[in-house]
Structure formats: structure tokens, C-alpha cells
């Protein structure tokens, strides 16, 4: 207690001023935050009120349009429309289905007293019981002549508008003004419940010009009208379900509609946050609206931020006071120690240590504090990039966004550096796959390298274990810095990442990661400088290439923390080689990448877990995609999970398949030829005769608009192309857990293929090696089938792109570029996919570039190279092919698979082609081979059926 009082006595007037100012700032922040929250909620309320008015007026305008359409139909028939013609018009219009609340649509004719008998005689020809009612003393009659649909409206036929002032006043006003009018509240004669209703009138005249003349009454013939109920007016988007507003409508003293009662969802708020009253002119009537917020509105708009600010501020004030007390007490002790200690050297040492701590704390705190507004700035710039800006504004926003990203990366580097210097880095040692390290550290630079024309190679020694134990995040951070620098400082040539391993005993070893480039190199006298904070090889480097000079410094510090060494070998203009020698441990029973054992545990993103592949029973999947290559890949992935699938290429075929038999899952491409997947999904959801499946979108687009529109159309999930087996497995496990087979199968572990230097002869340079490994590492034969499918569709894509260029059709260019992007990504052609993506975005934004011409040239070149891959391979000796089963049975199996849009097996194709060659049917064999290569299934079935029965054999 005595120490606390002594410390309080040491608090100066300045300290108390700081505490008071902090308290005042807290209160001010609390009040300002409360005002902002209230203003935001009020704006939200005003927007909802305006939206309510717009929805109501939109619905009323739709009613008016129906009446105008009826007047137009009468005028189109020379003002003489029969009952049959009006019934046909009403059936086409289908007002009761399209316009909630409308009981029907009819015609009111004006009949002077002198013409009444002739009028009744004419109408009783078709309707003998037709009469005008009720009787009245007037000399002008306005009977309802037609009203469709008739069911439920029989009581209104012949009703005279002139018998009652409310109806007659509105009808006369419509006649004299030529405008649509509504009556005051009435009880419809055909409504047994006598709910508040209205009549909607729109006049028609003998001539079109009469509607705009002052003497309209002379040419007036009658009215098109519609009775409607206010309660049904509120159905659909105006329904009282989970809304943020409740409202009440009155016409004079008559209450038309009210929601000011407890609702089924208990959403009514007896003490609303906001409420308002106003009037709207609704076709000649003044409706009074009373609107108030609901409990759901309070829930969405009640902000806890002001209270949190107040509480947090008070806590901070208390902490500041406590800190002052502690500091004052520490100051008193320090002064006592200064008196006792006279060594000036010790004082200088304390000051030096304090300076280091202040610097470290400053770097950490400032990087944290600046990061928060920087994230907000980047977020707002992203929103601006998505807004509709002109070209100049878009370029300015793009430059600001790039600069913000560079600054944010600098802040992240400073934060890492401060953590390292403050010894706050904690390493997390977990098993991880070497492939995961490559994906996190190398694959993300593939497109950047290809854009610069660089070859990015990855060589993994066969002796390298599949899994090692270490801190994957920190190792990948070092590798990312090294690969990123290599690509940044290399203008031509290549960047090669090599991974090797040397064991020290059965459970330990050294992982050697080498990053070699053909860039500008580093002079020997500058090589130590690059590992220092904020230092590069020379001052011109940062001016030309950018960068903060922190990446290699952080990498060096992280390497030391993990007990590793990071070395550099380089010469000016001769490239640079960075080598990381990292000690690691091996998981139990871990094998090398070159081993071919069947059963082994698998590491996935740092966790050592067994990975059996699940099988799914009794699932039927329909694939909807207009590119056969995409269908083939997804079919192959589904087959690996034991799932049967069929494929179609347009919406009409998809609807026919779904109508003929049920499917559990539909994989739907969003950008089909001439239609969208969203439209097809909406048709499926509306079709009552279809057993509703799970629908997942397939798209090469990552835009938020496509994603949100897919979900709005009724889709359940969204997969981006190229689709990977893991995506399919995640989708199946998310929606079809009950179909998982009780016994899991673990497929034979395929060795991780390495991209050795010799592999360049097998794959063209434009095929991304990391992407190839991800897509086809487990099934190299799938690449051959996908390549053939790509070549089969390339002719159509080339022709379509040439046609677009000839007619300068930007919309069609965008569509074909999107299709090329998806097809190229599915065969790991990231170069073509990247160019197609740029063309698609440029066409979408209306930019005029030479991108489509470049895309066409690259597509033609890559198609030629892909078609030449098998040119040197020997054709199979079909004549010597020995059949293992009767050809007749093989043909039947092939026709069955082709009939289901499934690819026949290569063995079956070779057997049938060999059989035809043996029997001298070389022309038929050649046509059949071409049909298989171009995936023309119908033509292949027709050709198979032409094989003579007597020559098939048994």
C-alpha cells in the first residue's frame, strides 16, 4: 500500500493531463461512433422505404401495362373485339399468374340509353342470359361486357359502373383525362370475403388521336379494366416474411393493408427504431403510408461498436494510469540506483539497450498500426477497380493499387524483421510433402515467368523423400523470396529450382534447395551486402527493379533460426545461385520420391495422415459443358471415385436427360455456347417434373459476379477450372456422405514425377510443369486423352476466333477467349490460358488491343506443336493385334459406351481397328479412327454398325 501511495505521489500534473485527455477522447469517440451508427441505420431505413415504394409502383405499372395491352388489342381489331378474341387475349396475357392480386381483365363499353336494346340483343347472341345490372335512373350505361377468366367472376358480368358514384367517378375521370385511374376502396362483387379492392381503368377511343384531343368524350368507346385485391398485391417480393420494414396503407379513412401486428416470425417491433408517414399519388388516388422498422432491422443495424469503444477506452485509461503508477515507481527506484551506481559505462549500456528495444518496438507497432489503414485503402481500391470507370481513372486506380501492394509487402517485411530481432518467431515443425513446398513456393510464379518469357524448371532428385519434418511456412517463405528475386532480376533465360537430399542417419538428413538464374548477377564485393537490412547490391538496383532490400535479410535470419545455411555464388552478368542447406528429420517409414512401394502414408499440407480414396455408391452425375475436353477430364475424375456420369453439351439436352431419369448431381458450365449455366439451373429449379439434383457450377471465371449469380440461380456449389480430383472429392463428401462405401480403397501410390532436364523433349515449353504434375501426375495417360480432345476442338476454336476478328465482335471474342482459357488450363497450358484471360478481360472492359491477334497466333502455334508430339511414334501394329475376346462383343461394348457419351477404351479401339485392317477394310478403319480422334460419337456408332456381321467373327 505504501509503495502505491508513493508511486501516486510521483505522478505529475502532465500525467494527469494525459489521462484526462485520453478520457475525453474516449467519450468523444464513443459519441461520434454512436452518431455514425445512427446515421448509417437511418440511411438504411430511407433506402428500404425508397425500395418499398419502387417495388409497389413497379407492380402497379405492370398492372397498367396489362390494361394498355388490352386497349391496344381492341384498337388492332378496329375497335370491334369479340368475346372469343378477348378470351384468347386474356389466356395469352395470363394476368392471374403474372400479376398477383388481379382477378381478371375485362372490357367496359359505354352504351347510351338509345342503344341499350341493340347492345343487349347483340350480346345475347352468344350469352342468352346477359343482362345489365343493377337498375338505375341514369341515361348512360357502362356495363362490364367481357371479363376473363370467367371462373369466379360471373357475378361481375353486366355490372353497370354508372350505378355507383365511386366506380362511376373514376371511370369518367379516365375517360376525360385519357389516363389510367383507380377507384376508391370497394368490395368486389365476386369476392365473397369482401376484402378491400379496387378497379383499375384505362380508356380506349375510336381513334388513337382522340386520346390526346381536348374533346375526348365524343370519341370515347369504353374502358379496359382489372379488379384487384390489395392484400394479394403484397404477395411475392412485397410479402411480409423476414422483412426489415412493416407498413400500413390507407385510402382516406379506409385501411387497405396493415402489418402492424405480431407476425409468424415474431418480427413485429412494438418500439421501432425508425418510423415515418407519407403520401403517394397512385393513379388518381392518394394513399397514406405508415412505415416502421422490424426487429430484424434492429438486429442488423444495432451497432455494438460505440459501447465497445467506450469500454475499451475506459480500460485503456485504467491501463495508462496503472502504467504511470508503475513507471513512477520504476523511476523512483531507478533514481535510487543512479545515486548508488556511479559507473558511467553501465549507464551508457542501459541507454544502448533501451534504444534497441525502442527501435524494435517502434518497428513492430508502426507496421501493425499502418497495416490496418493500408488494408482499408487496398480494399477501397479493389472496389474502385470493379466500378465503372473510364480508362484514365482505371489506370490511376491500378497504379495506386500496385503501389499499395508494394507498401503492404514492405510493412509485412518490416513486421517479420522486427519479430526476428525481438526473438518472437516460433517455429512449427510438422511433416510436409516436398510437392506442397513446390506448390507454395514455385507454382505461384509460373505465370509471371511465362509473361517474361522465362523457363521456370523444377528438378527433384529421385533420392529426395516424399515427406520431411520442418516448418513449411518459413521454408516456403525463404524459397518464395529466392524464386521471386530470381525472376525479378532475370530478363531472359531460365530460373531453375533443384531439390536434393543427403541423409546423415535413418531419421535425419539435409534438404538442399538451390535456386539458379541467368540474370544480372552480383559482384563479389557486393555479395555480403545483400543479406543486410534495407540493402541491395547497389543503389541503382532499387531504382530499376524496386524492392526494399529486406527479403534476403529475412531469409538469412530465418535460415539461422532453423539451423540452416544460406549461401550465394554469383558473378556480374552471369546469374546467381542461392543454396539453402536445411537440416530436417524424416517421418517414420518415409520413402524417397523414386521408390515404387504400393502402400505408404501420405502427407498433406504439413500433416501426416493416411489418405484412402473414398468410393461412392449409387450416384448418377450429369456433366453439362460444350467443350468435350472438359467433360472427359471430369468424367475421368468421377470414375476414380466409382461414380457413373453422362455428359451433354447444351441446355436442351440437359433438360431432356433430367426429365427422362433422375440424377443426383449436375456439374454445370456457366459459359455455354449461346446460353448460360445460370439460365439452365433456373429452368431445372422451376421444373416440377424433375427430381431436383445438387447443382455445382464449373467455370474458369473467379469473378464475384459469376459466383453470386450462380448461387442466386439455385446452384449449391462453385468449382473453378481447371478442376482437380481434390475438388471433386470435396464436393462429393460435402453433399453425398451417405453414399460413401463402407470399405475405402487406397489407390496405389504413384511416384511423384520429377521434371528432369530430359523431360523437356517430351512436353512443349508452354506446358507448365507444376500444373502438369497437379493435373496428370497420378494418371499420365489422361494427358494423352485430354491433348487429343483439345486438338479435336482446336479447329472449331481457331475458326471461331478468326470469324470474331473478321467482324470485330468484342462480345464473341470475350466468349471464345473464355472457352480457350478453360480448355488450355485443362491441359496445363498456362501460357495460352494467361493470354486468353487477358483478352477476355480486355474485351469485357471495352479496351481495343492487339490481344486477339496474338491469341490466335499462339493458339495455332500450340495446336501445331501438340499435334506433332506423336508424329515420330510408331503406329501400333494393328495387323498383328491378338484379340483377347470376340470382336462382336467388343463392338457391342464400344457402342454402349459411345451411346452414353463416354469414350471407348484404347484397347478396344486398337482391337477393332486391327480387325478391320486384317480383313482389308482399310477405308472403314481410317474413317473410324478419325471419328474417335475428333470425338464424333454418333459417327463412330454409325461406322461400327457398318462392320459386316459375317466378318465380325465370334
Amino acid at each position: 500500500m505504501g509503495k502505491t501511495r508513493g508511486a501516486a505521489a510521483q505522478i505529475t500534473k502532465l500525467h494527469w493531463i494525459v489521462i484526462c485527455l485520453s478520457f475525453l477522447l474516449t467519450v468523444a469517440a464513443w459519441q461520434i461512433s454512436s452518431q455514425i451508427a445512427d446515421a448509417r441505420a437511418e440511411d438504411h431505413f430511407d433506402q428500404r422505404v425508397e425500395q418499398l415504394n419502387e417495388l409497389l409502383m413497379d407492380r402497379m405499372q405492370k398492372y397498367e401495362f396489362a390494361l394498355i395491352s388490352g386497349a391496344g388489342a381492341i384498337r388492332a381489331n378496329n375497335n370491334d373485339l369479340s368475346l372469343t378474341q378477348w378470351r384468347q387475349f386474356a389466356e395469352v396475357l395470363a394476368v392471374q399468374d403474372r400479376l398477383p392480386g388481379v382477378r381478371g381483365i375485362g372490357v367496359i363499353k359505354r352504351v347510351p340509353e338509345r342503344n341499350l336494346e341493340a347492345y343487349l340483343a347483340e350480346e345475347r347472341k352468344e350469352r342468352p342470359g346477359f343482362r345489365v345490372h343493377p337498375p338505375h335512373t341514369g341515361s348512360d350505361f357502362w356495363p362490364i361486357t367481357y371479363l376473363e377468366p370467367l371462373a369466379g367472376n360471373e357475378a361481375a358480368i353486366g355490372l353497370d359502373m354508372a350505378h355507383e358514384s365511386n366506380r362511376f367517378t373514376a371511370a369518367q375521370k379516365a375517360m376525360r383525362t385519357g389516363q389510367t385511374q383507380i377507384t376508391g376502396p370497394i368490395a368486389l362483387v365476386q369476392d365473397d370475403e369482401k376484402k378491400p379492392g379496387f378497379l383499375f381503368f384505362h380508356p380506349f377511343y375510336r381513334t388513337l388521336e382522340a386520346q390526346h384531343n381536348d374533346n375526348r368524350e365524343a370519341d370515347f368507346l369504353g374502358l379496359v379494366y382489372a379488379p384487384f385485391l390489395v392484400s394479394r398485391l403484397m404477395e411475392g417480393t412485397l410479402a411480409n416474411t423476414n422483412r426489415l420494414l412493416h407498413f400500413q396503407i390507407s385510402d382516406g379513412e379506409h385501411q387497405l393493408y396493415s402489418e402492424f401486428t405480431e407476425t409468424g416470425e415474431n418480427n413485429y417491433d412494438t418500439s421501432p427504431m425508425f418510423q415515418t408517414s407519407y403520401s403517394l399519388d397512385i393513379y388518381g388516388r392518394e394513399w397514406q403510408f405508415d412505415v416502421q422498422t422490424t426487429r430484424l432491422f434492429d438486429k442488423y443495424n444495432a451497432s455494438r461498436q460505440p459501447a465497445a469503444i467506450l469500454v475499451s477506452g475506459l480500460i485503456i485509461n485504467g491501463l495508462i494510469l496503472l502504467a504511470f503508477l508503475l513507471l513512477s515507481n520504476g523511476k523512483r527506484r531507478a533514481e535510487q540506483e543512479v545515486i548508488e551506481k556511479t559507473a558511467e559505462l553501465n549507464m551508457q549500456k542501459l541507454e544502448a539497450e533501451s534504444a534497441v528495444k525502442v527501435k524494435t518496438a517502434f518497428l513492430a507497432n508502426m507496421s501493425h498500426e499502418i497495416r490496418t489503414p493500408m488494408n482499408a485503402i487496398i480494399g477501397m481500391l479493389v472496389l474502385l477497380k470493379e466500378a465503372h470507370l473510364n480508362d484514365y481513372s482505371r489506370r490511376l486506380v491500378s497504379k495506386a493499387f500496385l503501389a499499395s501492394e508494394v507498401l503492404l509487402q514492405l510493412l509485412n517485411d518490416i513486421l517479420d524483421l522486427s519479430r526476428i530481432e525481438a526473438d518472437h518467431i516460433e517455429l512449427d515443425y510438422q511433416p510436409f510433402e516436398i510437392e506442397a513446398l513446390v506448390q507454395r513456393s514455385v507454382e505461384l510464379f509460373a505465370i509471371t515467368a511465362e509473361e517474361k518469357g522465362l523457363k521456370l524448371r523444377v528438378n527433384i532428385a529421385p533420392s529426395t523423400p516424399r515427406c520431411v519434418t520442418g516448418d513449411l511456412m518459413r521454408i516456403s517463405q525463404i524459397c518464395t523470396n529466392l524464386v521471386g528475386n530470381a525472376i525479378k532480376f532475370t530478363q531472359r533465360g531460365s530460373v531453375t529450382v533443384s531439390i536434393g537430399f543427403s541423409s546423415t542417419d535413418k531419421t535425419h538428413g539435409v534438404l538442399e534447395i538451390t535456386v539458379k538464374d541467368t540474370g544480372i548477377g552480383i559482384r563479389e564485393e557486393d555479395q555480403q551486402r545483400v543479406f543486410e537490412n534495407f540493402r541491395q547490391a547497389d543503389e541503382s538496383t532499387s531504382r530499376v527493379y524496386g524492392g526494399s532490400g529486406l527479403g534476403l535479410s529475412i531469409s538469412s535470419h530465418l535460415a539461422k533460426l532453423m539451423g540452416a545455411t544460406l549461401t550465394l555464388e554469383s558473378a556480374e552478368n552471369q546469374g546467381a545461385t542461392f543454396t539453402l542447406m536445411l537440416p530436417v528429420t524424416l517421418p517414420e517409414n518415409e520413402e524417397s520420391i523414386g521408390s515404387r512401394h504400393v502402400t505408404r502414408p501420405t502427407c498433406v499440407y504439413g500433416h501426416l495422415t493416411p489418405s484412402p480414396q473414398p468410393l461412392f455408391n449409387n450416384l448418377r452425375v450429369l456433366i453439362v459443358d460444350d467443350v468435350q475436353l472438359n467433360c472427359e477430364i471430369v468424367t475421368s475424375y468421377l470414375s476414380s471415385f466409382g461414380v457413373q456420369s453422362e455428359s451433354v453439351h447444351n441446355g436442351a439436352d440437359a433438360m431432356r436427360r433430367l426429365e427422362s431419369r433422375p440424377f443426383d448431381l449436375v456439374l454445370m458450365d456457366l459459359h455455354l455456347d449461346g446460353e448460360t449455366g445460370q439460365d439452365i439451373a433456373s429452368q431445372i429449379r422451376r421444373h416440377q417434373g424433375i427430381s431436383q439434383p445438387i447443382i455445382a457450377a464449373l467455370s474458369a471465371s473467379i469473378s464475384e459476379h459469376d459466383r453470386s449469380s450462380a448461387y442466386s440461380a439455385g446452384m449449391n456449389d462453385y468449382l473453378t477450372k481447371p478442376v482437380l480430383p481434390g475438388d471433386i472429392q470435396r464436393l462429393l463428401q460435402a453433399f453425398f456422405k451417405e453414399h460413401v462405401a463402407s470399405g475405402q480403397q487406397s489407390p496405389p501410390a504413384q511416384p511423384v514425377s520429377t521434371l528432369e532436364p530430359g523431360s523437356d523433349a517430351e512436353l512443349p515449353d508452354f506446358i507448365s510443369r507444376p500444373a502438369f504434375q497437379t493435373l496428370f501426375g497420378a494418371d499420365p495417360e489422361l494427358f494423352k486423352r485430354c491433348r487429343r480432345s483439345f486438338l479435336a476442338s482446336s479447329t472449331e476454336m481457331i475458326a471461331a476466333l478468326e470469324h470474331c476478328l473478321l467482324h470485330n465482335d468484342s462480345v464473341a471474342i470475350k466468349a471464345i477467349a473464355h472457352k480457350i482459357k478453360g480448355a488450355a488450363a485443362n491441359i496445363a497450358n498456362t501460357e495460352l490460358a494467361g493470354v486468353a484471360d487477358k483478352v477476355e478481360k480486355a474485351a469485357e472492359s471495352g479496351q481495343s488491343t492487339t490481344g486477339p491477334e496474338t491469341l490466335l497466333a499462339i493458339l495455332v502455334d500450340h495446336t501445331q506443336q501438340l499435334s506433332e508430339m506423336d508424329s515420330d511414334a510408331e503406329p501400333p501394329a494393328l495387323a498383328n493385334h491378338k484379340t483377347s475376346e470376340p470382336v462382336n462383343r467388343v463392338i457391342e461394348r464400344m457402342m454402349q459406351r459411345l451411346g452414353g457419351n463416354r469414350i471407348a477404351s484404347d484397347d478396344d479401339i486398337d482391337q477393332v481397328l486391327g480387325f478391320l485392317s486384317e480383313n482389308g477394310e482399310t477405308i472403314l478403319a481410317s474413317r473410324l479412327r478419325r471419328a474417335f480422334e475428333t470425338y464424333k460419337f454418333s459417327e463412330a456408332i454409325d461406322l461400327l454398325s457398318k462392320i459386316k456381321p459375317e466378318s465380325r467373327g465370334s
Side-chain angles (χ1 to χ4, degrees):
M1 181 65 71
K3 292 183 178 180
T4 304
R5 291 177 178 174
Q10 294 291 327
I11 297 179
T12 65
K13 186 181 296 184
L14 179 61
H15 293 157
W16 287 113
I17 292 175
V18 171
I19 294 172
C20 292
L21 288 175
S22 177
F23 177 78
L24 291 176
L25 286 174
T26 299
V27 174
W30 168 61
Q31 292 182 341
I32 292 173
S33 178
S34 299
Q35 293 173 359
I36 292 174
D38 292 340
R40 187 185 299 116
E42 187 173 3
D43 288 342
H44 190 193
F45 172 73
D46 293 339
Q47 292 172 4
R48 288 291 177 173
V49 170
E50 183 176 356
Q51 183 184 33
L52 171 65
N53 295 338
E54 290 175 353
L55 289 172
L56 180 64
M57 292 306 300
D58 178 71
R59 181 158 292 180
M60 297 296 286
Q61 288 169 1
K62 289 179 180 178
Y63 293 173
E64 181 186 20
F65 180 77
L67 300 182
I68 295 173
S69 300
I74 294 172
R75 187 173 295 113
N77 284 273
N78 296 321
N79 300 324
D80 187 17
L81 198 67
S82 68
L83 174 61
T84 301
Q85 290 173 321
W86 185 256
R87 182 174 293 121
Q88 291 173 347
F89 166 78
E91 288 175 354
V92 173
L93 192 60
V95 291
Q96 288 186 326
D97 296 332
R98 295 176 179 171
L99 302 175
V102 171
R103 296 292 300 266
I105 186 167
V107 177
I108 297 172
K109 292 186 177 180
R110 183 187 184 185
V111 181
E113 186 176 15
R114 64 180 180 276
N115 297 335
L116 181 60
E117 292 299 325
Y119 166 80
L120 291 173
E122 180 66 22
E123 295 302 323
R124 287 170 179 169
K125 290 180 181 179
E126 292 185 356
R127 295 173 290 177
F130 181 86
R131 65 188 182 89
V132 176
H133 61 91
H136 61 86
T137 58
S139 61
D140 210 3
F141 298 87
W142 298 54
I144 298 175
T145 305
Y146 307 140
L147 180 57
E148 296 293 334
L150 184 60
N153 290 315
E154 294 87 350
I157 298 298
L159 182 67
D160 190 353
M161 296 296 101
H163 87 282
E164 186 262 328
S165 62
N166 188 351
R167 293 175 172 83
F168 195 41
T169 300
Q172 287 181 317
K173 188 174 182 181
M175 173 187 69
R176 293 164 183 163
T177 62
Q179 303 295 321
T180 305
Q181 300 291 327
I182 64 174
T183 67
I186 63 172
L188 302 179
V189 296
Q190 60 267 51
D191 181 24
D192 296 334
E193 297 180 5
K194 303 304 179 183
K195 295 180 180 178
F198 292 84
L199 299 184
F200 225 136
F201 296 136
H202 185 80
F204 61 92
Y205 301 86
R206 185 169 288 103
T207 64
L208 180 62
E209 294 76 16
Q211 186 170 357
H212 307 287
N213 295 337
D214 294 334
N215 189 20
R216 299 183 183 90
E217 188 170 353
D219 291 323
F220 174 73
L221 295 178
L223 304 166
V224 178
Y225 99 111
F228 68 96
L229 295 175
V230 179
S231 58
R232 291 204 60 201
L233 171 68
M234 302 305 160
E235 293 179 357
T237 55
L238 293 172
N240 180 12
T241 303
N242 292 330
R243 280 218 315 262
L244 301 182
L245 299 180
H246 284 159
F247 60 94
Q248 175 178 282
I249 305 176
S250 303
D251 186 334
E253 298 178 355
H254 298 277
Q255 184 182 95
L256 306 179
Y257 179 79
S258 177
E259 296 175 352
F260 290 170
T261 57
E262 293 289 331
T263 64
E265 294 79 17
N266 196 25
N267 195 22
Y268 180 75
D269 193 352
T270 55
S271 300
M273 183 180 293
F274 298 101
Q275 57 187 357
T276 185
S277 298
Y278 57 92
S279 299
L280 284 181
D281 184 4
I282 307 294
Y283 296 98
R285 301 292 300 182
E286 185 171 286
W287 283 7
Q288 179 71 25
F289 285 76
D290 298 307
V291 186
Q292 68 180 43
T293 58
T294 65
R295 292 184 179 182
L296 195 60
F297 183 95
D298 290 356
K299 178 181 177 181
Y300 287 158
N301 290 275
S303 176
R304 296 185 178 88
Q305 185 179 17
I309 290 175
L310 180 61
V311 173
S312 300
L314 294 176
I315 292 174
I316 291 173
N317 289 333
L319 292 176
I320 291 174
L321 178 59
L322 180 60
F324 283 160
L325 291 173
L326 295 176
L327 288 174
S328 298
N329 192 32
K331 178 182 177 182
R332 183 172 57 84
R333 291 200 308 270
E335 289 174 350
Q336 184 65 30
E337 290 174 359
V338 168
I339 295 174
E340 295 175 354
K341 297 179 181 180
T342 58
E344 186 177 352
L345 182 60
N346 290 340
M347 180 59 68
Q348 293 176 351
K349 179 181 179 181
L350 290 174
E351 291 176 354
E353 291 176 349
S354 177
V356 172
K357 291 180 180 180
V358 169
K359 184 197 76 170
T360 302
F362 174 79
L363 289 175
N365 291 333
M366 290 306 296
S367 60
H368 273 297
E369 294 298 325
I370 300 176
R371 181 185 176 87
T372 299
M374 277 306 303
N375 281 330
I377 292 172
I378 291 178
M380 288 185 285
L381 289 174
V382 169
L383 294 177
L384 279 176
K385 288 175 67 177
E386 296 175 355
H388 299 289
L389 304 176
N390 56 40
D391 290 342
Y392 177 73
S393 300
R394 187 179 292 107
R395 287 196 299 271
L396 293 180
V397 171
S398 297
K399 290 179 181 180
F401 179 79
L402 292 175
S404 299
E405 285 192 317
V406 172
L407 181 55
L408 187 59
Q409 182 59 47
L410 175 61
L411 293 173
N412 290 335
D413 289 342
I414 292 174
L415 180 59
D416 279 342
L417 183 63
S418 64
R419 287 173 174 170
I420 292 172
E421 292 185 347
D423 197 20
H424 288 166
I425 293 292
E426 295 183 0
L427 300 177
D428 181 22
Y429 290 97
Q430 296 288 341
F432 66 87
E433 277 189 338
I434 297 300
E435 183 180 358
L437 175 62
V438 173
Q439 290 175 349
R440 294 179 59 149
S441 308
V442 181
E443 285 187 5
L444 60 93
F445 294 101
I447 295 179
T448 303
E450 289 170 359
E451 288 177 347
K452 294 186 69 173
L454 304 177
K455 293 181 179 179
L456 180 59
R457 298 188 176 95
V458 180
N459 298 327
I460 306 177
S463 61
T464 306
R466 290 173 179 268
C467 254
V468 297
T469 297
D471 190 330
L472 174 61
M473 184 181 73
R474 296 304 176 183
I475 298 172
S476 62
Q477 185 176 358
I478 296 174
C479 294
T480 299
N481 282 330
L482 297 180
V483 177
N485 281 345
I487 293 176
K488 180 195 297 185
F489 297 114
T490 303
Q491 299 304 315
R492 62 178 62 87
S494 63
V495 174
T496 303
V497 180
S498 301
I499 301 177
F501 179 80
S502 58
S503 60
T504 54
D505 56 43
K506 292 183 178 181
T507 59
H508 295 81
V510 176
L511 190 65
E512 181 178 350
I513 303 173
T514 302
V515 180
K516 182 178 181 180
D517 64 64
T518 59
I520 61 175
I522 304 173
R523 293 178 300 183
E524 183 176 358
E525 58 269 27
D526 295 328
Q527 291 181 11
Q528 288 304 316
R529 290 160 50 98
V530 297
F531 294 103
E532 298 175 7
N533 296 341
F534 304 100
R535 298 294 294 273
Q536 294 185 344
D538 56 53
E539 294 180 356
S540 64
T541 302
S542 61
R543 290 195 298 270
V544 177
Y545 297 96
S548 62
L550 287 175
L552 289 178
S553 173
I554 293 173
S555 299
S556 178
H557 282 88
L558 291 175
K560 291 178 181 178
L561 285 175
M562 293 185 288
T565 59
L566 181 60
T567 58
L568 166 63
E569 294 180 8
S570 180
E572 190 173 8
N573 297 322
Q574 295 184 19
T577 301
F578 287 87
T579 302
L580 177 67
M581 303 294 291
L582 179 71
V584 295
T585 58
L586 299 178
E588 185 178 357
N589 299 326
E590 182 54 39
E591 301 166 1
S592 66
I593 285 179
S595 66
R596 292 185 177 270
H597 291 278
V598 173
T599 304
R600 58 176 297 277
T602 303
C603 285
V604 181
Y605 294 102
H607 297 282
L608 187 63
T609 57
S611 61
Q613 179 166 294
L615 292 178
F616 295 82
N617 291 333
N618 303 321
L619 279 182
R620 296 182 64 87
V621 179
L622 180 64
I623 305 167
V624 186
D625 199 309
D626 58 354
V627 178
Q628 180 61 35
L629 168 61
N630 301 336
C631 297
E632 182 174 348
I633 288 179
V634 177
T635 298
S636 175
Y637 291 162
L638 289 168
S639 298
S640 67
F641 296 107
V643 177
Q644 297 180 352
S645 63
E646 301 178 19
S647 61
V648 295
H649 306 307
N650 56 65
D653 289 345
M655 296 300 293
R656 281 193 288 270
R657 290 288 177 90
L658 289 167
E659 291 170 352
S660 63
R661 53 187 174 275
F663 286 86
D664 302 288
L665 172 65
V666 175
L667 297 174
M668 179 75 68
D669 184 24
L670 293 188
H671 298 274
L672 298 167
D673 189 9
E675 55 188 338
T676 68
Q678 292 93 327
D679 292 338
I680 302 172
S682 297
Q683 294 179 37
I684 295 173
R685 293 305 187 211
R686 293 194 303 265
H687 200 300
Q688 297 181 356
I690 291 178
S691 177
Q692 292 297 316
I694 298 296
I695 306 178
L698 293 177
S699 178
S701 171
I702 59 173
S703 74
E704 185 59 32
H705 175 268
D706 282 347
R707 184 179 296 272
S708 61
S709 63
Y711 285 115
S712 299
M715 298 192 186
N716 305 95
D717 207 340
Y718 192 98
L719 304 181
T720 56
K721 297 178 182 178
V723 178
L724 302 178
D727 301 327
I728 299 296
Q729 180 176 341
R730 177 190 62 77
L731 177 68
L732 296 176
Q733 288 178 329
F735 293 100
F736 304 104
K737 290 182 179 179
E738 69 277 8
H739 291 269
V740 176
S742 57
Q744 300 283 333
Q745 73 166 7
S746 296
Q750 299 291 338
V752 178
S753 305
T754 58
L755 302 179
E756 301 294 344
S759 66
D760 287 346
E762 301 175 6
L763 294 175
D765 291 339
F766 53 77
I767 298 295
S768 168
R769 271 55 174 180
F772 179 89
Q773 282 292 50
T774 301
L775 292 171
F776 309 110
D779 186 6
E781 289 299 321
L782 177 60
F783 175 70
K784 295 181 181 179
R785 298 197 299 271
C786 292
R787 178 175 56 81
R788 290 199 297 265
S789 181
F790 179 84
L791 291 174
S793 60
S794 62
T795 302
E796 178 184 349
M797 292 189 294
I798 290 173
L801 188 54
E802 289 175 340
H803 181 270
C804 295
L805 289 172
L806 180 62
H807 294 84
N808 194 24
D809 188 346
S810 61
V811 175
I813 288 175
K814 176 178 178 293
I816 189 63
H818 182 86
K819 181 178 292 187
I820 294 172
K821 178 176 68 172
N826 279 329
I827 60 169
N829 189 347
T830 53
E831 178 183 343
L832 181 60
V835 175
D837 182 63
K838 290 182 178 179
V839 172
E840 180 185 10
K841 291 179 179 177
E844 186 174 16
S845 61
Q847 298 177 5
S848 178
T849 66
T850 59
E853 292 83 356
T854 304
L855 177 61
L856 176 61
I858 294 175
L859 176 59
V860 172
D861 178 58
H862 289 191
T863 300
Q864 180 66 28
Q865 293 188 51
L866 289 171
S867 64
E868 293 174 354
M869 286 184 64
D870 291 337
S871 60
D872 298 331
E874 292 187 11
L878 297 176
N880 298 326
H881 183 76
K882 303 298 183 182
T883 61
S884 58
E885 59 180 315
V887 175
N888 200 44
R889 188 181 306 168
V890 174
I891 292 175
E892 292 177 358
R893 181 169 63 243
M894 293 173 66
M895 293 177 70
Q896 183 177 4
R897 291 181 62 87
L898 293 172
N901 280 326
R902 299 173 64 190
I903 301 172
S905 69
D906 292 340
D907 290 341
D908 288 351
I909 294 174
D910 291 342
Q911 184 170 334
V912 172
L913 293 178
F915 172 79
L916 292 174
S917 298
E918 290 174 356
N919 288 273
E921 298 284 350
T922 56
I923 297 177
L924 181 58
S926 176
R927 293 177 61 192
L928 186 60
R929 183 198 302 276
R930 179 59 181 167
F932 285 135
E933 290 177 349
T934 56
Y935 296 93
K936 296 180 178 178
F937 294 160
S938 299
E939 181 179 343
I941 293 173
D942 182 60
L943 293 173
L944 287 172
S945 66
K946 293 182 179 179
I947 299 178
K948 297 179 180 179
E950 60 270 13
S951 66
R952 292 186 180 183
S954 58

